[in-house]
Amino acid sequence: MTKTITEKIFSRKCGCDVSAGEMRVVPVDAAMVHDITGPLAVNMFHRMKGEKVFDPEKIIMIFDHQVPADSITAAENHIMMREFAKEQGIYNYDVKEGICHQVALETGKIMPGDIVVGVDSHTCTYGAVGAFSTGIGSTDMGFVLRFGALYFRIPESVRIEADGKFAPRVGAKDLIMKTIGDIGADGATYRAVEFTGQAFEEMEIPGRMTCCNMAIEMGGKAGIVPPDEKTRKWLSKYGDVDAAKPGSFDLKADEGAAYAGKVEYDVGDLVPQVAVPHNVDNVVDIDEVEGTHLDQVFIGSCTNGRFEDFAEAAEVMGDMNFSPDVRVIAIPASRTEYLKCLRAGIIEKFVEAGALFEAPCCGPCMGGAFGLIGVEEVSLSTSNRNFRGRQGSTKGEVYLCSPATAAASAIKGEIADPREM
Amino acid sequence: MSDMKDARIWKFGDDIDTDAIIPGRFLTIYDPKELASHAFEGTRDEFSRDAKQGDVIVGGRNFGCGSSREHAPIALKGAGIEMVIAKSFARIFYRNCINTGLLPVVCPEADKISEDDTITPHLDEGYIEVSGKKFATEPVPEFLSKIIEAGGLVEYAKGIDEVETCIK
């Protein structure tokens, strides 16, 4: 029987043939908890009469949403999580390490074909290395911490096939926003989004992370790119790829596998995309919003906070400074990415151009910590959501774009086309 | 479920996200009542003031999209909501509802319900009665019914010592 990559991963894990639509209780290979939804998960673990977690080595704890602690309650939540980690023998990636999804992949604990859950909707990012990864709630995570397994409905898949070569200043973020705009915010609900084609084969892991990260923005349970030599090379910087399960790097869908839907793109036709407030699927070509006044530009988040994103932004900037009328907040996704920016002179360039370059964390993305916008302010952001109130006031507006568009716009003080810089 | 005769219907549109249900700045809070006091803050401020036990939320497509924050169903439960009816639900929110004991009801005709209607659920028979009209509801998958019957995932987990994996 022909299978999608998702069905193969679940079949391998279950030791028998399973197909989309079946409900199974499946062991997980890793579980990620962070400082916002983690405390409630720990509470649920205790309420489920949990005493020892299933396997401390498979639990990845990371503080990223409110770091350094921005309130007394956040500090208390951190204390509680640190104590739990110590008592259970879990290694805690504390406030200095960066955003959960970037750091989780940098631990080298996640390999292709793994089944990973995390208490954050953007856990689907790990599909960039060929893992089946999905976001769950805190009670689900309490159950996982105790039993090391969770109930899953094995999802149908939708196939996004992208061929061709990107034009200069157009890339992964534009492609995923275009796809979300076409499919809609619930177009892939309960489904795994499988990304294939020449554009994904040629895309490096950071771009694949950007695309998989936003699978949830079309309702996807997971986003997944078939693993390949690029995956092996990237993961070998962080973990022991030879210890991965046999066949992990050869996983791909069978010819003729059944999909719930297919969409095809030639990325050569793609122009910079912008998601307009207040829904992620309100996506337009950049010429429809050029000239929109901006108060703040944010380059960072688990979607676009990697070295490659800052390097592209820096290339667009050239020797120009940011508009004095715009606050530019730049935040790398992890300590590793921060150091790469530091060593390449990118931080110096950003600071000289007028940016606030912050230590790795989620920053204004979720609207819980610093860098919030006020009433009637407009933010342009490389993050993944533009919901009303997402980055501060419910009377403010958030637009989403690529790092290249963010840099061009920060220079002009209004939404600007990076191809014209 | 509470007596639904006096239940108020709170009607919402499509794509109601978890940031609208409970904004990110309140996520350090875990107490249901305190979370409820900020539910829909900035988008529908009268909700936290006026919602009472047994009220029903009716949404359109993709209700609860966005973050995996369980604070959202907890805030709604804290405000007295026992059931959310929608045309469709975002996946994580749906699971979170089942796990926390807030009943998610998929009703393809949910958008025809108005705030002036009265609702009587007949979920075992697969419909809700809306001001005298019958609207079909989708059944909850069998495995999830067990969790609901137990009273949520915590109660379900308390009843088992280990979980048998890869079984249906």
Side-chain angles (χ1 to χ4, degrees), chain A residues 240-256:
Chain A
D240 182 4
V241 291
D242 295 329
K245 293 177 205 81
S248 297
F249 288 89
D250 301 323
L251 277 166
K252 57 174 186 275
D254 291 323
E255 288 280 333

Side-chain angles (χ1 to χ4, degrees), chain A residues 333-354:
Chain A
S334 71
R335 195 156 66 111
T336 308
E337 299 301 295
Y338 184 101
L339 282 166
K340 283 191 224 168
C341 291
L342 184 72
R343 287 169 184 148
I346 286 172
I347 297 182
E348 188 177 351
K349 191 178 171 80
F350 265 74
V351 174
E352 271 181 356

Side-chain angles (χ1 to χ4, degrees), chain A residues 157 370 380 386:
Chain A
S157 295
F370 60 86
L380 179 69
N386 59 349

Side-chain angles (χ1 to χ4, degrees), chain A residues 5-16 18 24 26 113 115 132 152-155 221, chain B residues 166:
Chain A
I5 190 167
T6 294
E7 289 170 321
K8 281 192 178 179
I9 290 172
F10 276 94
S11 295
R12 199 165 82 144
K13 194 76 190 173
C14 292
C16 62
V18 295
R24 297 273 174 160
V26 180
I115 294 178
F132 180 90
F152 291 90
R153 183 183 168 279
I154 293 145
K221 183 169 185 164
Chain B
C166 295

